[in-house]
Amino acid sequence: MTRLRAVGLALLAPLIAVVVSVLVTTAVIAAAGSSPGDFWDAMFSNPLPRIRVNIVNQAAIIYISAVAAAIAFRMNLFNIGLEGQYTIASFAAASFAGAAYLSGFLNVAVAILIAALVGAAWSGIAGILKTTRGVSEVISTIMLNSIAITLVGYLLNRYGVHEGNTVHTTNLEKSSKLTGFTPYEARDGQIWALCLLAVLVGVGFWVLLSKTRFGFDLRASGQSETAALASGVNPKRMVVTAMLLSGGVAGLIWMPALFGAASSYGTSFQAGLGFTGLAVALLGRNRPIGMAFGAVLFAFLTAQSNTLTFSTDISPSIVQITQGIAVLAVVVAYEIVRRWRSRLEQRDVAKELAPVGPGTAGATA
Amino acid sequence: MRRLTQLSAVVCVAALALTGCGSDSDGGGNGSKDSASKDICKTAKGDGPKIGLAYDVGGRGDQSFNDSAYAGLEKAVKEFDASCVEGEATDGEAESAREDRLRQMADGGATAVIGVGFAYSDAINKVAPDYPDVNFGVVDGFDPDTEANKNVAYLGFAEEQGSFLVGVAAAEKSKSGTIGFVGGVHNDLIKKFEAGYTAGAKAAKPDVKVLVNYIQESDLKGFGDPAGGKAAAAGQYDKGADVVYHAAGGSGAGVFDAAVEADKLAIGVDSDQYLTATAEQKPHILTSMLKRVDTATYDFIKSVDDGKALTSYQVYDLKADGVGYSKSGGFVDDIASDIDGFKEKIISGEIKVPTKP
């Protein structure tokens, strides 16, 4: 009975979230004067082959971003700076790889390492500011975002390759471009080789959290800093390490696209992934598998938005609204179910303790 | 049971609140959609060419760049009995999303596909070879590789020439001898505006002082940040500038507000912004630098309709009437002969306008 209830409660939250998202989205579309039926038809129509490829690619980079966010979230840190971290890291890696000091696979490997290091260094600033000066990481990372974007713009303007109305870093040499996997015809595009990074990052995150002492410390500090301190964890060190790790993973976000398609940092750089990652981490409850579902959902919705524009008269902004609603619904649903569950547990405890006497039940409160 | 009631109450309230927010925010974005139901692509079902128009971020309703492209589209659709589809870029979208947008248009039967904004350059370069029967055009675009595309036209503008003329107007109308320039993003395209403007001002009055500010170094948000535009312009008015020219897209609205508050003058960009300004702003809009994206769009569609599609680099300069300045409001009527004098000299080649500051 209790086990059944536990399973039921576990399934209840996602179920509520899905139902609420669908209902609210439908209501929004109806309120905007469009047909919700058209919307769901268009969104869940079978994607074209090239859109399927795009979904896989986008899901991979969104997932890396979500893991970066989740590492910090688990430590109760709100790393809003993912955006700046991956911007500056992507620029650094693209500049290094474009300069072709090394060739072939070695160039790619070192560039990825540089991306991780630069991302980590940038978020490390926020970590150090927090531990030494007590600056909230929310504030410092927002500011570091602006600084990173401006700095990259300045450096790009100054040292980049100017072409037409655009500027970009030197293009990769042919030997550094990675051939991906072509599931359909060539014109439908490739699944980027470095999408594997997303798998590695996901597995790494799971191992780190569940199988290592550090992961345990991280979760413990996130749940209760004082308890962690009492059990011998140095909270300052945890903050800096978590920020460094989060930033390091953030540095990898754009790497699959750089080596798979873009081959330089410039107009084709995809901004905004840092914020998408935060949303997906919330959506996936910071769990490796949950975030994978979230990343695929976000990638799916975004990739289908062109189809939506062409087959209906619904504004593609609805897609972003849908994504926002999904995140809110998940957060709210889990909170509701959590409270509900703790009430039920309290009631059970009270019931079991009741024969002993009301005084004991009161003492537990 | 009470818990359940509470719970459902929370859910209901949340749902209501979300619906409220949703429809509110959608009201903003939906303004364009309401007009969209009246717009040309919903009604035009002619059997002329089918046109695909892919907007840059901001889309229709920016009262600038994208709207100008739409004006050209509208004219062409009416004239050639054409039909059309529109698509719009979203902020921070993937390169693959741009490509997909163009492919969907071509797959949907469009014979003329136009990308509005240089950000489409790479995407069109990649998509065009797969659709040899479709003609592509890219506003402000360029060919990113050495292999020429037979079915792509790069519709470029001599923004520096138009900016030169409004620079002349600014210098001649300035009483303080100080004028300003507010750029949206410090990229090569906007630097052309700055270079031409400064050159024009110096040509008219060699001792004029030009203040230059950019809202963003590289973040494209600089084109959609009226508060940033206002701050930049207000700073320049404080430093003694009495005419400020903006090349900042949607942020220009803030520049006009700053002009109203300082009771000084501002110069618009891309389209004749006097026509779309509020009644309060109108007396402060000296002139606008016209960048005829509508002309380029129309010309390109016309060429496709004629069966002689434009390809390769097309330059819309003063000579081709691709850039210019507006006279709405009548503020520059008294100096129009001066400005036109410079215009002739630029057309004849006597004056070479720099493209870099």
Side-chain angles (χ1 to χ4, degrees):
Chain A
M1 178 60 204
T2 351
R3 168 158 292 212
L4 198 67
R5 200 174 73 190
V7 173
L9 278 171
L11 288 178
L12 189 62
L15 196 70
I16 295 179
V18 168
V19 171
V20 170
S21 318
V22 170
L23 286 180
V24 175
T25 307
T26 304
V28 169
I29 295 166
S34 302
S35 155
D38 285 355
F39 173 78
W40 296 113
D41 273 355
M43 289 318 285
F44 292 102
S45 60
N46 195 5
L48 298 165
R50 66 165 176 271
I51 296 185
R52 282 178 227 160
V53 172
N54 292 347
I55 289 172
V56 174
N57 287 332
Q58 288 292 310
I61 56 181
I62 292 173
Y63 184 70
I64 299 176
S65 180
V67 170
I71 294 171
F73 273 141
R74 276 302 180 90
M75 177 65 213
N76 242 342
L77 291 168
F78 207 173
N79 182 5
I80 306 183
L82 298 172
E83 188 70 23
Q85 289 146 25
Y86 94 91
T87 302
I88 200 163
S90 304
F91 174 74
S95 302
F96 175 82
Y101 297 121
L102 305 163
S103 70
F105 183 71
L106 193 61
N107 194 23
V108 178
V110 175
I112 291 173
L113 187 67
I114 287 178
L117 290 177
V118 170
W122 202 251
S123 65
I125 299 173
I128 288 169
L129 282 176
K130 186 178 175 76
T131 47
T132 58
R133 288 282 171 271
V135 180
S136 162
E137 79 283 1
V138 176
I139 308 294
S140 59
T141 52
I142 288 178
M143 291 181 166
L144 283 166
N145 279 347
S146 291
I147 297 172
I149 292 165
T150 309
L151 184 67
V152 166
Y154 172 78
L155 292 173
L156 192 61
N157 260 333
R158 207 176 156 111
Y159 302 108
V161 181
H162 293 256
E163 207 175 23
N165 286 317
T166 62
V167 54
H168 58 81
T169 59
T170 316
N171 281 321
L172 298 179
E173 282 188 352
K174 203 154 187 207
S175 67
S176 298
K177 291 182 191 169
L178 300 176
T179 312
F181 168 60
T182 311
Y184 304 101
E185 284 170 51
R187 64 192 285 177
D188 292 325
Q190 296 184 339
I191 292 175
W192 302 325
L194 289 181
C195 286
L196 278 176
L197 268 182
V199 179
L200 292 180
V201 162
V203 172
F205 179 59
W206 176 77
V207 170
L208 180 83
L209 269 192
S210 342
K211 302 284 171 203
T212 65
R213 158 100 200 257
F214 175 79
F216 177 80
D217 289 351
L218 187 76
R219 283 180 292 143
S221 321
Q223 276 165 6
S224 166
E225 202 174 304
T226 43
L229 186 61
S231 66
V233 179
N234 178 348
K236 287 193 173 176
R237 230 185 76 202
M238 290 308 296
V239 166
V240 174
T241 323
M243 281 308 278
L244 286 175
L245 269 178
S246 175
V249 173
L252 304 177
I253 294 174
W254 198 62
M255 291 302 104
L258 173 64
F259 292 103
S263 86
S264 70
Y265 179 101
T267 21
S268 51
F269 177 70
Q270 191 182 349
L273 287 168
F275 296 110
T276 313
L278 287 172
V280 170
L282 283 172
L283 186 66
R285 315 265 315 136
N286 301 326
R287 307 291 197 285
I289 299 290
M291 291 189 297
F293 278 114
V296 171
L297 178 70
F298 265 51
F300 187 92
L301 291 172
T302 310
Q304 288 282 64
S305 67
N306 276 331
T307 312
L308 183 72
T309 319
F310 293 122
S311 61
T312 69
D313 66 343
I314 301 167
S315 161
S317 324
I318 293 280
V319 170
Q320 282 150 334
I321 295 177
T322 308
Q323 291 171 339
I325 291 170
V327 173
L328 275 182
V330 164
V331 172
V332 171
Y334 272 90
E335 181 59 20
I336 289 171
V337 170
R338 188 189 66 79
R339 287 190 190 178
W340 207 7
R341 190 195 320 234
S342 64
R343 287 281 169 180
L344 285 177
E345 278 165 7
Q346 278 173 12
R347 205 160 62 192
D348 285 351
V349 172
K351 215 183 274 171
E352 276 174 32
L353 294 176
V356 184
T360 332
T364 61
Chain B
M1 198 58 215
R2 206 180 107 246
R3 198 114 295 274
L4 195 66
T5 330
Q6 264 182 11
L7 187 78
S8 37
V10 169
V11 172
C12 287
V13 170
L16 279 175
L18 284 175
T19 325
C21 294
S23 59
D24 256 9
S25 60
D26 204 50
N30 220 37
S32 55
K33 277 293 148 189
D34 284 340
S35 54
S37 55
K38 279 177 265 162
D39 80 24
I40 196 87
C41 291
K42 293 287 180 308
T43 50
K45 294 278 177 278
D47 29 282
K50 186 167 181 186
I51 305 150
L53 191 61
Y55 298 108
D56 208 344
V57 176
R60 289 256 311 278
D62 66 349
Q63 301 186 346
S64 186
F65 198 61
N66 292 306
D67 275 355
S68 187
Y70 175 74
L73 173 75
E74 198 174 19
K75 186 175 163 204
V77 166
K78 281 184 188 149
E79 205 160 304
F80 309 127
D81 197 23
S83 57
C84 53
V85 285
E86 295 170 290
E88 179 185 329
T90 48
D91 215 0
E93 72 180 1
E95 185 66 22
S96 58
R98 282 192 277 269
E99 283 169 27
D100 176 51
R101 184 168 305 117
L102 300 167
R103 285 182 196 272
Q104 292 218 14
M105 287 175 171
D107 288 341
T111 50
V113 173
I114 302 166
V116 184
F118 64 75
Y120 280 104
S121 299
D122 282 312
I124 282 184
N125 189 51
K126 204 154 174 203
V127 171
D130 291 338
Y131 298 90
D133 299 334
V134 178
N135 296 289
F136 292 88
V138 48
V139 176
D140 286 346
F142 70 103
D143 192 349
D145 57 22
T146 47
E147 229 166 286
N149 293 305
K150 285 190 189 115
N151 56 339
V152 183
Y154 305 97
L155 311 168
F157 292 83
E159 292 93 350
E160 71 282 2
Q161 296 183 354
S163 301
F164 186 98
L165 300 186
V166 298
V168 171
E172 298 208 351
K173 284 287 175 184
S174 169
K175 295 189 182 84
S176 66
T178 303
I179 59 173
F181 173 82
V182 174
V185 178
H186 194 203
N187 62 25
D188 288 3
L189 178 61
I190 304 303
K191 283 187 215 163
K192 276 164 86 180
F193 291 76
E194 183 204 328
Y197 178 69
T198 311
K202 301 266 185 206
K205 275 193 191 168
D207 56 344
V208 73
K209 196 176 159 201
V210 186
L211 305 173
V212 176
N213 285 102
Y214 283 87
I215 300 171
Q216 288 285 349
E217 183 63 28
S218 69
D219 195 337
L220 293 178
K221 282 190 190 101
F223 291 123
D225 177 13
K230 189 174 174 180
Q236 298 184 343
Y237 290 128
D238 285 347
K239 285 185 196 153
D242 52 0
V243 186
V244 172
Y245 170 41
H246 87 83
S251 310
V255 174
F256 295 152
D257 286 342
V260 171
E261 282 178 21
D263 196 20
K264 301 274 171 63
L265 293 169
I267 298 175
V269 78
D270 291 349
S271 40
D272 184 353
Q273 297 200 294
Y274 180 85
L275 302 177
T276 46
T278 63
E280 203 185 17
Q281 291 168 347
K282 278 189 177 174
H284 299 276
I285 299 181
L286 179 65
T287 173
S288 297
M289 195 289 275
L290 302 176
K291 175 172 172 178
R292 303 300 300 269
V293 178
D294 53 342
T295 308
T297 308
Y298 171 83
D299 279 0
F300 177 71
I301 299 169
K302 184 171 187 298
S303 74
V304 174
D305 187 58
D306 290 346
K308 284 175 273 184
L310 292 174
T311 55
S312 183
Y313 286 90
Q314 303 292 327
V315 180
Y316 289 85
D317 54 9
L318 277 178
K319 204 171 175 178
D321 238 349
V323 291
Y325 70 103
S326 68
K327 295 177 188 166
S328 305
F331 304 112
V332 291
D333 287 354
D334 52 333
I335 53 168
S337 60
D338 276 6
I339 302 176
D340 290 338
F342 280 108
K343 184 176 166 181
E344 293 310 319
K345 283 184 188 168
I346 295 171
I347 292 176
S348 71
E350 195 179 319
I351 295 179
K352 289 254 182 287
V353 185
T355 54
K356 285 191 180 103

